[in-house]
């Protein structure tokens, strides 16, 4: 029965992708986790929104992994080249966000070709690099080839994009969150390709604006190359989750607060 169900889901996904490509329209995720063509209201709002159509991508601190699932829909149903991680163990993730919903989501991610890793600390990516990069290499060797745009990253066994959405230590203390970002920028070169970019999505208002992200990046030999809008509708099904599951959350699109959210794109200084 399970094989039949998975075959049916793959057929629905394939049909949705084919229809979207034919109509040149974006995809979205239905309430049951299947893909479909987005309605007019669900389509992107921003012209300068950050996109991840191609390339190898490392997602950090993905909480309930809803961004990873939205990213796959964004990439027309393909999880190739995507490694999604959580700081928490799988047990902790399931306890925070619900065992059944997390289990179902992770199954969909792996079925789409993505890789899921737990217990990955964004403050110590140099320590995590051997596992993350060997996974990227193994996926390539296994025939799950990435597109040509990631050839440079693959030759170095590094990621073309490292994405850290709404980084937070769990403490409302500026110096603690600055320390988190300091460690992140200091160790991220271990997993980033020479031509790659670090993307941090954050609110551009206090207390987050007090963290001095650009200064921390500069101290670690990174430069800001672009500031883009963050359009949640480009990543269907994504719901921002705070470090603590019961903390106050928000929609990253569709309200006044969302207008202050930007994606800061950094590259290594040459």
């Amino acid at each position: 029965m399970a094989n039949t169900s998975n075959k049916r889901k793959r057929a629905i996904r394939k049909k949705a992708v084919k229809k979207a490509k034919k109509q040149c329209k974006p995809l979205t995720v239905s309430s049951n986790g299947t893909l479909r063509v987005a309605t007019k209201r669900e389509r992107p709002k921003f012209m300068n929104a950050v996109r991840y159509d191609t390339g190898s991508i490392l997602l950090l601190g993905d909480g309930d992994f809803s961004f990873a699932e939205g990213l796959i829909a964004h990439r027309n149903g393909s999880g190739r080249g995507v490694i999604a991680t959580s700081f928490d163990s799988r047990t902790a993730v399931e306890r925070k966000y619900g065992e059944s919903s997390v289990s179902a989501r992770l199954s969909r991610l792996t079925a789409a070709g993505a890789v899921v890793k737990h217990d990955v600390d964004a403050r110590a990516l140099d320590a995590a690099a051997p596992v993350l990069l060997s996974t990227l290499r193994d996926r390539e060797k296994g025939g799950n080839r990435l597109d040509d745009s990631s050839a440079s990253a693959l030759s170095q066994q590094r990621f073309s994009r490292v994405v850290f959405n709404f980084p937070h230590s769990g403490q409302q203390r500026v110096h603690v969150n600055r320390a988190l970002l300091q460690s992140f920028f200091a160790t991220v070169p271990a997993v980033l390709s020479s031509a790659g970019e670090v993307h941090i999505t954050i609110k551009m208002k206090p207390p987050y604006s007090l963290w001095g992200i650009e200064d921390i990046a500069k101290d670690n030999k990174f430069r800001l190359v672009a500031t883009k809008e963050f359009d949640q509708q480009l990543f269907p099904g994504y719901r921002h989750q705070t470090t603590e599951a019961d903390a106050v959350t928000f929609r990253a699109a569709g309200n006044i607060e969302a207008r202050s959210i930007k994606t800061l794109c950094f590259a290594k200084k040459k």
Side-chain angles (χ1 to χ4, degrees), residues 30 56 71 81 107 115 120 214 220:
S30 299
S56 52
L71 175 63
S107 294
V115 175
V120 176
E214 290 185 48
N220 287 280

mmCIF file of all heavy atoms in Angstrom, residues 30 56 71 81 107 115 120 214 220:
data_model
loop_
_atom_site.group_PDB
_atom_site.id
_atom_site.type_symbol
_atom_site.label_atom_id
_atom_site.label_comp_id
_atom_site.label_asym_id
_atom_site.label_seq_id
_atom_site.Cartn_x
_atom_site.Cartn_y
_atom_site.Cartn_z
ATOM 1 N N SER A 30 -0.397 22.212 -1.536
ATOM 2 C CA SER A 30 -1.754 22.075 -1.009
ATOM 3 C C SER A 30 -1.693 21.661 0.455
ATOM 4 O O SER A 30 -0.637 21.290 0.970
ATOM 5 C CB SER A 30 -2.524 21.019 -1.810
ATOM 6 O OG SER A 30 -2.631 21.407 -3.162
ATOM 7 N N SER A 56 23.534 24.497 -5.447
ATOM 8 C CA SER A 56 23.555 23.669 -4.247
ATOM 9 C C SER A 56 23.316 24.564 -3.041
ATOM 10 O O SER A 56 23.950 25.605 -2.893
ATOM 11 C CB SER A 56 24.902 22.945 -4.117
ATOM 12 O OG SER A 56 25.975 23.872 -4.211
ATOM 13 N N LEU A 71 10.886 25.591 -0.433
ATOM 14 C CA LEU A 71 11.987 25.755 -1.392
ATOM 15 C C LEU A 71 11.891 24.735 -2.514
ATOM 16 O O LEU A 71 12.135 25.053 -3.685
ATOM 17 C CB LEU A 71 13.323 25.609 -0.662
ATOM 18 C CG LEU A 71 14.580 25.632 -1.537
ATOM 19 C CD1 LEU A 71 14.731 26.973 -2.237
ATOM 20 C CD2 LEU A 71 15.816 25.328 -0.709
ATOM 21 N N GLY A 81 20.306 18.873 -4.713
ATOM 22 C CA GLY A 81 21.255 19.887 -4.293
ATOM 23 C C GLY A 81 20.877 20.615 -3.026
ATOM 24 O O GLY A 81 21.577 21.531 -2.607
ATOM 25 N N SER A 107 9.554 12.998 5.088
ATOM 26 C CA SER A 107 9.393 11.966 4.057
ATOM 27 C C SER A 107 9.212 12.598 2.679
ATOM 28 O O SER A 107 9.777 12.126 1.684
ATOM 29 C CB SER A 107 8.197 11.070 4.377
ATOM 30 O OG SER A 107 8.416 10.325 5.560
ATOM 31 N N VAL A 115 18.176 16.265 1.154
ATOM 32 C CA VAL A 115 18.802 15.556 2.271
ATOM 33 C C VAL A 115 18.492 16.324 3.549
ATOM 34 O O VAL A 115 18.535 17.557 3.561
ATOM 35 C CB VAL A 115 20.327 15.453 2.091
ATOM 36 C CG1 VAL A 115 20.970 14.822 3.316
ATOM 37 C CG2 VAL A 115 20.659 14.646 0.844
ATOM 38 N N VAL A 120 22.945 20.096 13.595
ATOM 39 C CA VAL A 120 23.941 20.906 12.885
ATOM 40 C C VAL A 120 23.974 22.290 13.513
ATOM 41 O O VAL A 120 22.970 23.017 13.506
ATOM 42 C CB VAL A 120 23.624 21.011 11.381
ATOM 43 C CG1 VAL A 120 24.619 21.941 10.688
ATOM 44 C CG2 VAL A 120 23.657 19.623 10.744
ATOM 45 N N GLU A 214 26.205 43.543 9.243
ATOM 46 C CA GLU A 214 27.170 43.933 8.205
ATOM 47 C C GLU A 214 28.565 44.110 8.781
ATOM 48 O O GLU A 214 29.559 43.738 8.146
ATOM 49 C CB GLU A 214 26.705 45.219 7.524
ATOM 50 C CG GLU A 214 25.470 45.032 6.648
ATOM 51 C CD GLU A 214 25.110 46.293 5.889
ATOM 52 O OE1 GLU A 214 26.013 46.894 5.285
ATOM 53 O OE2 GLU A 214 23.929 46.688 5.936
ATOM 54 N N ASN A 220 34.815 39.450 9.263
ATOM 55 C CA ASN A 220 35.164 38.092 8.842
ATOM 56 C C ASN A 220 35.421 37.995 7.336
ATOM 57 O O ASN A 220 35.312 36.923 6.748
ATOM 58 C CB ASN A 220 34.057 37.124 9.265
ATOM 59 C CG ASN A 220 34.051 36.856 10.751
ATOM 60 O OD1 ASN A 220 34.835 36.047 11.247
ATOM 61 N ND2 ASN A 220 33.200 37.560 11.496
#
